[in-house]
Amino acid sequence: MDDLTLGIVVSVGTAVFIGAILLLNRRLQSRRMAALQTTATARGWEYTPIREGRTSGYRITGRTQGSAWTLESTFTASSADSESSTSTGHRRTCWQSAGAALADGLILIGPRTAAGPIPDPQALGGLAGRVVQKALELMLGEDVALLPGLQEVPLGSGALRERYMIWAHDERAARRLLTFDVERALTDWPAKLPLAVKIDSHGLQITLQNTQLLDPTALEQLVDLGVLLVAAWQEE
């Protein structure tokens, strides 16, 4: 076999192999989405697939204990030919409800950094202060204007504080949210799926950055956590 023939054989073999992998990934993705839809239907939720350009995923809406909520989990491919959820791209999952809202200020619960508590950017000054401020801005998103006055508050059990940082303008508002059941749900949440909880004037939001939820069990756990947080807030 000459070099040209060998090259053609290798190229064809590689193309067939890649095609088979893509086909298997698409079939696996279809089965996962079907399982998610089955779970949503069984719980009485409305499931809607999302397919918009390079973005794919699903949206689930429901109403629990009188509060409407929405969960959206998506994957946006970095290029048109990499639409599989195993490809490179941006993944995001967000659960939100207007059933728990804060008239003024903000409550933010997020993963504790390996370096420990995030210090006050104003106290650090210089480059370090700007780096810390940027990290908080990424977590706050559209609420970045509320950064001034946001303080870490020492609330919750040792197990909770070991995993999470709680930031608030008003410590009393944060204490209202952190009931025993909420603390237990947060500490039971899988560490491999870091989450951030935010309450502002628009409502309550739970985000999983760089994650598309494809596990029905994790899906139900996220919805149950969101419903629990709203119920805790509405107790008062």
PDB file of all heavy atoms in Angstrom, residues 24-25 40 42 50 62 69 72 79 98 121-122 133 137 152 154 157 159 164 177 179 181-182 187 210 217 224 231:
ATOM      1  N   LEU A  24     -23.174   8.845  18.745  1.00  0.00           N
ATOM      2  CA  LEU A  24     -23.399   8.297  20.082  1.00  0.00           C
ATOM      3  C   LEU A  24     -23.701   9.410  21.084  1.00  0.00           C
ATOM      4  O   LEU A  24     -24.577   9.260  21.945  1.00  0.00           O
ATOM      5  CB  LEU A  24     -22.166   7.495  20.533  1.00  0.00           C
ATOM      6  CG  LEU A  24     -21.932   6.165  19.826  1.00  0.00           C
ATOM      7  CD1 LEU A  24     -20.610   5.547  20.251  1.00  0.00           C
ATOM      8  CD2 LEU A  24     -23.073   5.184  20.125  1.00  0.00           C
ATOM      9  N   ASN A  25     -22.975  10.537  20.953  1.00  0.00           N
ATOM     10  CA  ASN A  25     -23.214  11.664  21.855  1.00  0.00           C
ATOM     11  C   ASN A  25     -24.626  12.217  21.685  1.00  0.00           C
ATOM     12  O   ASN A  25     -25.298  12.559  22.661  1.00  0.00           O
ATOM     13  CB  ASN A  25     -22.186  12.773  21.604  1.00  0.00           C
ATOM     14  CG  ASN A  25     -20.849  12.482  22.247  1.00  0.00           C
ATOM     15  OD1 ASN A  25     -20.771  11.720  23.210  1.00  0.00           O
ATOM     16  ND2 ASN A  25     -19.790  13.083  21.721  1.00  0.00           N
ATOM     17  N   ALA A  40     -39.976  15.895  34.729  1.00  0.00           N
ATOM     18  CA  ALA A  40     -40.765  17.123  34.826  1.00  0.00           C
ATOM     19  C   ALA A  40     -42.262  16.826  34.722  1.00  0.00           C
ATOM     20  O   ALA A  40     -43.068  17.346  35.499  1.00  0.00           O
ATOM     21  CB  ALA A  40     -40.342  18.098  33.729  1.00  0.00           C
ATOM     22  N   ALA A  42     -43.803  14.039  35.425  1.00  0.00           N
ATOM     23  CA  ALA A  42     -44.252  13.306  36.607  1.00  0.00           C
ATOM     24  C   ALA A  42     -44.484  14.235  37.790  1.00  0.00           C
ATOM     25  O   ALA A  42     -45.330  13.962  38.650  1.00  0.00           O
ATOM     26  CB  ALA A  42     -43.226  12.232  36.975  1.00  0.00           C
ATOM     27  N   ILE A  50     -35.147  23.887  24.288  1.00  0.00           N
ATOM     28  CA  ILE A  50     -34.590  25.129  23.759  1.00  0.00           C
ATOM     29  C   ILE A  50     -33.642  24.783  22.613  1.00  0.00           C
ATOM     30  O   ILE A  50     -32.746  23.954  22.757  1.00  0.00           O
ATOM     31  CB  ILE A  50     -33.832  25.914  24.839  1.00  0.00           C
ATOM     32  CG1 ILE A  50     -34.787  26.382  25.936  1.00  0.00           C
ATOM     33  CG2 ILE A  50     -33.099  27.116  24.235  1.00  0.00           C
ATOM     34  CD1 ILE A  50     -34.080  27.058  27.104  1.00  0.00           C
ATOM     35  N   GLY A  62     -42.989  25.830  36.689  1.00  0.00           N
ATOM     36  CA  GLY A  62     -43.883  25.171  37.626  1.00  0.00           C
ATOM     37  C   GLY A  62     -44.415  26.152  38.642  1.00  0.00           C
ATOM     38  O   GLY A  62     -44.007  27.325  38.693  1.00  0.00           O
ATOM     39  N   TRP A  69     -42.206  29.523  39.336  1.00  0.00           N
ATOM     40  CA  TRP A  69     -40.753  29.506  39.170  1.00  0.00           C
ATOM     41  C   TRP A  69     -40.397  29.013  37.766  1.00  0.00           C
ATOM     42  O   TRP A  69     -41.204  28.388  37.085  1.00  0.00           O
ATOM     43  CB  TRP A  69     -40.076  28.630  40.234  1.00  0.00           C
ATOM     44  CG  TRP A  69     -40.624  27.226  40.325  1.00  0.00           C
ATOM     45  CD1 TRP A  69     -41.583  26.766  41.193  1.00  0.00           C
ATOM     46  CD2 TRP A  69     -40.267  26.104  39.499  1.00  0.00           C
ATOM     47  NE1 TRP A  69     -41.843  25.440  40.959  1.00  0.00           N
ATOM     48  CE2 TRP A  69     -41.044  24.999  39.937  1.00  0.00           C
ATOM     49  CE3 TRP A  69     -39.380  25.915  38.444  1.00  0.00           C
ATOM     50  CZ2 TRP A  69     -40.953  23.752  39.349  1.00  0.00           C
ATOM     51  CZ3 TRP A  69     -39.282  24.663  37.856  1.00  0.00           C
ATOM     52  CH2 TRP A  69     -40.063  23.604  38.314  1.00  0.00           C
ATOM     53  N   GLU A  72     -33.987  27.149  33.826  1.00  0.00           N
ATOM     54  CA  GLU A  72     -33.453  27.102  32.458  1.00  0.00           C
ATOM     55  C   GLU A  72     -32.026  26.587  32.505  1.00  0.00           C
ATOM     56  O   GLU A  72     -31.203  27.090  33.275  1.00  0.00           O
ATOM     57  CB  GLU A  72     -33.503  28.488  31.827  1.00  0.00           C
ATOM     58  CG  GLU A  72     -33.188  28.491  30.345  1.00  0.00           C
ATOM     59  CD  GLU A  72     -33.515  29.827  29.684  1.00  0.00           C
ATOM     60  OE1 GLU A  72     -34.706  30.160  29.601  1.00  0.00           O
ATOM     61  OE2 GLU A  72     -32.579  30.536  29.293  1.00  0.00           O
ATOM     62  N   SER A  79     -18.705  26.879  18.555  1.00  0.00           N
ATOM     63  CA  SER A  79     -18.720  26.956  17.097  1.00  0.00           C
ATOM     64  C   SER A  79     -19.895  26.137  16.588  1.00  0.00           C
ATOM     65  O   SER A  79     -20.442  25.291  17.295  1.00  0.00           O
ATOM     66  CB  SER A  79     -17.406  26.436  16.493  1.00  0.00           C
ATOM     67  OG  SER A  79     -17.214  25.071  16.828  1.00  0.00           O
ATOM     68  N   ALA A  98     -40.050  34.932  41.590  1.00  0.00           N
ATOM     69  CA  ALA A  98     -40.339  36.243  42.171  1.00  0.00           C
ATOM     70  C   ALA A  98     -41.010  36.103  43.535  1.00  0.00           C
ATOM     71  O   ALA A  98     -41.368  37.104  44.163  1.00  0.00           O
ATOM     72  CB  ALA A  98     -41.248  37.040  41.233  1.00  0.00           C
ATOM     73  N   PRO A 121     -12.716  44.858  49.468  1.00  0.00           N
ATOM     74  CA  PRO A 121     -11.873  45.409  48.402  1.00  0.00           C
ATOM     75  C   PRO A 121     -11.341  46.789  48.741  1.00  0.00           C
ATOM     76  O   PRO A 121     -10.227  47.146  48.366  1.00  0.00           O
ATOM     77  CB  PRO A 121     -12.830  45.461  47.201  1.00  0.00           C
ATOM     78  CG  PRO A 121     -13.912  44.490  47.509  1.00  0.00           C
ATOM     79  CD  PRO A 121     -14.060  44.508  49.002  1.00  0.00           C
ATOM     80  N   GLN A 122     -12.146  47.605  49.463  1.00  0.00           N
ATOM     81  CA  GLN A 122     -11.707  48.954  49.816  1.00  0.00           C
ATOM     82  C   GLN A 122     -10.495  48.902  50.741  1.00  0.00           C
ATOM     83  O   GLN A 122      -9.579  49.710  50.635  1.00  0.00           O
ATOM     84  CB  GLN A 122     -12.862  49.694  50.511  1.00  0.00           C
ATOM     85  CG  GLN A 122     -14.123  49.775  49.664  1.00  0.00           C
ATOM     86  CD  GLN A 122     -14.072  50.935  48.707  1.00  0.00           C
ATOM     87  OE1 GLN A 122     -13.288  51.848  48.892  1.00  0.00           O
ATOM     88  NE2 GLN A 122     -14.905  50.897  47.685  1.00  0.00           N
ATOM     89  N   GLN A 133     -12.749  42.864  43.820  1.00  0.00           N
ATOM     90  CA  GLN A 133     -13.957  43.545  43.378  1.00  0.00           C
ATOM     91  C   GLN A 133     -14.479  42.915  42.097  1.00  0.00           C
ATOM     92  O   GLN A 133     -15.687  42.752  41.924  1.00  0.00           O
ATOM     93  CB  GLN A 133     -13.690  45.031  43.165  1.00  0.00           C
ATOM     94  CG  GLN A 133     -14.941  45.798  42.714  1.00  0.00           C
ATOM     95  CD  GLN A 133     -14.838  47.275  42.984  1.00  0.00           C
ATOM     96  OE1 GLN A 133     -14.123  47.709  43.870  1.00  0.00           O
ATOM     97  NE2 GLN A 133     -15.568  48.057  42.210  1.00  0.00           N
ATOM     98  N   GLU A 137     -18.109  41.274  41.359  1.00  0.00           N
ATOM     99  CA  GLU A 137     -18.918  41.791  40.248  1.00  0.00           C
ATOM    100  C   GLU A 137     -19.440  40.647  39.389  1.00  0.00           C
ATOM    101  O   GLU A 137     -20.579  40.671  38.917  1.00  0.00           O
ATOM    102  CB  GLU A 137     -18.091  42.747  39.397  1.00  0.00           C
ATOM    103  CG  GLU A 137     -17.822  44.093  40.077  1.00  0.00           C
ATOM    104  CD  GLU A 137     -16.884  44.966  39.271  1.00  0.00           C
ATOM    105  OE1 GLU A 137     -16.398  44.491  38.215  1.00  0.00           O
ATOM    106  OE2 GLU A 137     -16.624  46.103  39.696  1.00  0.00           O
ATOM    107  N   GLU A 152     -19.766  40.431  54.375  1.00  0.00           N
ATOM    108  CA  GLU A 152     -19.920  39.028  54.746  1.00  0.00           C
ATOM    109  C   GLU A 152     -20.443  38.960  56.174  1.00  0.00           C
ATOM    110  O   GLU A 152     -19.922  39.631  57.070  1.00  0.00           O
ATOM    111  CB  GLU A 152     -18.601  38.270  54.623  1.00  0.00           C
ATOM    112  CG  GLU A 152     -18.787  36.777  54.900  1.00  0.00           C
ATOM    113  CD  GLU A 152     -17.527  35.962  54.674  1.00  0.00           C
ATOM    114  OE1 GLU A 152     -16.474  36.548  54.364  1.00  0.00           O
ATOM    115  OE2 GLU A 152     -17.617  34.721  54.807  1.00  0.00           O
ATOM    116  N   PRO A 154     -21.490  36.584  59.585  1.00  0.00           N
ATOM    117  CA  PRO A 154     -21.147  35.298  60.227  1.00  0.00           C
ATOM    118  C   PRO A 154     -22.393  34.561  60.701  1.00  0.00           C
ATOM    119  O   PRO A 154     -22.678  34.507  61.906  1.00  0.00           O
ATOM    120  CB  PRO A 154     -20.261  35.732  61.398  1.00  0.00           C
ATOM    121  CG  PRO A 154     -20.781  37.089  61.774  1.00  0.00           C
ATOM    122  CD  PRO A 154     -21.279  37.724  60.496  1.00  0.00           C
ATOM    123  N   SER A 157     -24.349  27.428  60.695  1.00  0.00           N
ATOM    124  CA  SER A 157     -23.509  26.456  61.393  1.00  0.00           C
ATOM    125  C   SER A 157     -22.090  26.461  60.849  1.00  0.00           C
ATOM    126  O   SER A 157     -21.809  27.038  59.789  1.00  0.00           O
ATOM    127  CB  SER A 157     -24.113  25.058  61.224  1.00  0.00           C
ATOM    128  OG  SER A 157     -24.094  24.678  59.850  1.00  0.00           O
ATOM    129  N   ALA A 159     -20.572  23.929  59.595  1.00  0.00           N
ATOM    130  CA  ALA A 159     -20.568  23.180  58.329  1.00  0.00           C
ATOM    131  C   ALA A 159     -20.989  24.062  57.170  1.00  0.00           C
ATOM    132  O   ALA A 159     -20.432  23.973  56.065  1.00  0.00           O
ATOM    133  CB  ALA A 159     -21.495  21.972  58.446  1.00  0.00           C
ATOM    134  N   TYR A 164     -19.757  27.805  52.413  1.00  0.00           N
ATOM    135  CA  TYR A 164     -20.365  28.976  51.779  1.00  0.00           C
ATOM    136  C   TYR A 164     -19.970  30.275  52.475  1.00  0.00           C
ATOM    137  O   TYR A 164     -19.715  30.303  53.676  1.00  0.00           O
ATOM    138  CB  TYR A 164     -21.893  28.867  51.809  1.00  0.00           C
ATOM    139  CG  TYR A 164     -22.456  27.690  51.056  1.00  0.00           C
ATOM    140  CD1 TYR A 164     -22.767  26.506  51.725  1.00  0.00           C
ATOM    141  CD2 TYR A 164     -22.672  27.746  49.675  1.00  0.00           C
ATOM    142  CE1 TYR A 164     -23.286  25.417  51.043  1.00  0.00           C
ATOM    143  CE2 TYR A 164     -23.197  26.662  48.990  1.00  0.00           C
ATOM    144  CZ  TYR A 164     -23.496  25.495  49.678  1.00  0.00           C
ATOM    145  OH  TYR A 164     -23.998  24.426  48.998  1.00  0.00           O
ATOM    146  N   LEU A 177     -33.574  34.134  56.036  1.00  0.00           N
ATOM    147  CA  LEU A 177     -33.515  33.126  54.974  1.00  0.00           C
ATOM    148  C   LEU A 177     -32.929  31.804  55.457  1.00  0.00           C
ATOM    149  O   LEU A 177     -33.350  30.733  55.028  1.00  0.00           O
ATOM    150  CB  LEU A 177     -32.687  33.667  53.808  1.00  0.00           C
ATOM    151  CG  LEU A 177     -32.554  32.762  52.579  1.00  0.00           C
ATOM    152  CD1 LEU A 177     -33.900  32.610  51.876  1.00  0.00           C
ATOM    153  CD2 LEU A 177     -31.513  33.330  51.614  1.00  0.00           C
ATOM    154  N   THR A 179     -32.945  29.264  57.544  1.00  0.00           N
ATOM    155  CA  THR A 179     -33.592  28.386  58.510  1.00  0.00           C
ATOM    156  C   THR A 179     -32.800  27.080  58.619  1.00  0.00           C
ATOM    157  O   THR A 179     -31.885  26.816  57.831  1.00  0.00           O
ATOM    158  CB  THR A 179     -35.023  28.063  58.069  1.00  0.00           C
ATOM    159  OG1 THR A 179     -34.973  27.323  56.831  1.00  0.00           O
ATOM    160  CG2 THR A 179     -35.835  29.339  57.870  1.00  0.00           C
ATOM    161  N   ASP A 181     -33.811  24.072  57.930  1.00  0.00           N
ATOM    162  CA  ASP A 181     -34.008  23.252  56.726  1.00  0.00           C
ATOM    163  C   ASP A 181     -33.207  23.775  55.542  1.00  0.00           C
ATOM    164  O   ASP A 181     -32.674  22.993  54.741  1.00  0.00           O
ATOM    165  CB  ASP A 181     -35.493  23.200  56.369  1.00  0.00           C
ATOM    166  CG  ASP A 181     -36.301  22.363  57.357  1.00  0.00           C
ATOM    167  OD1 ASP A 181     -35.698  21.519  58.042  1.00  0.00           O
ATOM    168  OD2 ASP A 181     -37.522  22.569  57.440  1.00  0.00           O
ATOM    169  N   VAL A 182     -33.095  25.108  55.414  1.00  0.00           N
ATOM    170  CA  VAL A 182     -32.313  25.692  54.327  1.00  0.00           C
ATOM    171  C   VAL A 182     -30.832  25.363  54.506  1.00  0.00           C
ATOM    172  O   VAL A 182     -30.142  24.979  53.545  1.00  0.00           O
ATOM    173  CB  VAL A 182     -32.521  27.219  54.261  1.00  0.00           C
ATOM    174  CG1 VAL A 182     -31.459  27.871  53.373  1.00  0.00           C
ATOM    175  CG2 VAL A 182     -33.914  27.543  53.734  1.00  0.00           C
ATOM    176  N   THR A 187     -25.990  22.388  52.748  1.00  0.00           N
ATOM    177  CA  THR A 187     -24.835  21.536  53.061  1.00  0.00           C
ATOM    178  C   THR A 187     -24.958  20.165  52.395  1.00  0.00           C
ATOM    179  O   THR A 187     -23.947  19.503  52.139  1.00  0.00           O
ATOM    180  CB  THR A 187     -24.672  21.362  54.580  1.00  0.00           C
ATOM    181  OG1 THR A 187     -25.913  20.910  55.154  1.00  0.00           O
ATOM    182  CG2 THR A 187     -24.275  22.671  55.240  1.00  0.00           C
ATOM    183  N   ASN A 210     -21.199  27.320  34.521  1.00  0.00           N
ATOM    184  CA  ASN A 210     -20.458  26.296  33.788  1.00  0.00           C
ATOM    185  C   ASN A 210     -21.060  24.908  33.962  1.00  0.00           C
ATOM    186  O   ASN A 210     -20.330  23.915  33.947  1.00  0.00           O
ATOM    187  CB  ASN A 210     -18.991  26.276  34.223  1.00  0.00           C
ATOM    188  CG  ASN A 210     -18.063  26.594  33.076  1.00  0.00           C
ATOM    189  OD1 ASN A 210     -18.490  26.874  31.969  1.00  0.00           O
ATOM    190  ND2 ASN A 210     -16.778  26.558  33.355  1.00  0.00           N
ATOM    191  N   THR A 217     -32.111  13.538  38.992  1.00  0.00           N
ATOM    192  CA  THR A 217     -32.043  13.641  40.452  1.00  0.00           C
ATOM    193  C   THR A 217     -31.557  15.019  40.879  1.00  0.00           C
ATOM    194  O   THR A 217     -32.122  15.651  41.785  1.00  0.00           O
ATOM    195  CB  THR A 217     -31.112  12.555  41.024  1.00  0.00           C
ATOM    196  OG1 THR A 217     -31.605  11.261  40.664  1.00  0.00           O
ATOM    197  CG2 THR A 217     -31.038  12.658  42.541  1.00  0.00           C
ATOM    198  N   ASP A 224     -36.290  21.607  44.416  1.00  0.00           N
ATOM    199  CA  ASP A 224     -36.691  21.503  45.822  1.00  0.00           C
ATOM    200  C   ASP A 224     -35.959  22.535  46.680  1.00  0.00           C
ATOM    201  O   ASP A 224     -36.546  23.108  47.607  1.00  0.00           O
ATOM    202  CB  ASP A 224     -36.410  20.094  46.343  1.00  0.00           C
ATOM    203  CG  ASP A 224     -37.329  19.040  45.730  1.00  0.00           C
ATOM    204  OD1 ASP A 224     -38.372  19.430  45.161  1.00  0.00           O
ATOM    205  OD2 ASP A 224     -36.999  17.841  45.800  1.00  0.00           O
ATOM    206  N   ALA A 231     -40.070  29.343  50.432  1.00  0.00           N
ATOM    207  CA  ALA A 231     -40.954  29.080  51.568  1.00  0.00           C
ATOM    208  C   ALA A 231     -40.371  29.657  52.859  1.00  0.00           C
ATOM    209  O   ALA A 231     -41.101  30.232  53.675  1.00  0.00           O
ATOM    210  CB  ALA A 231     -41.165  27.581  51.715  1.00  0.00           C
TER     211      ALA A 231
END
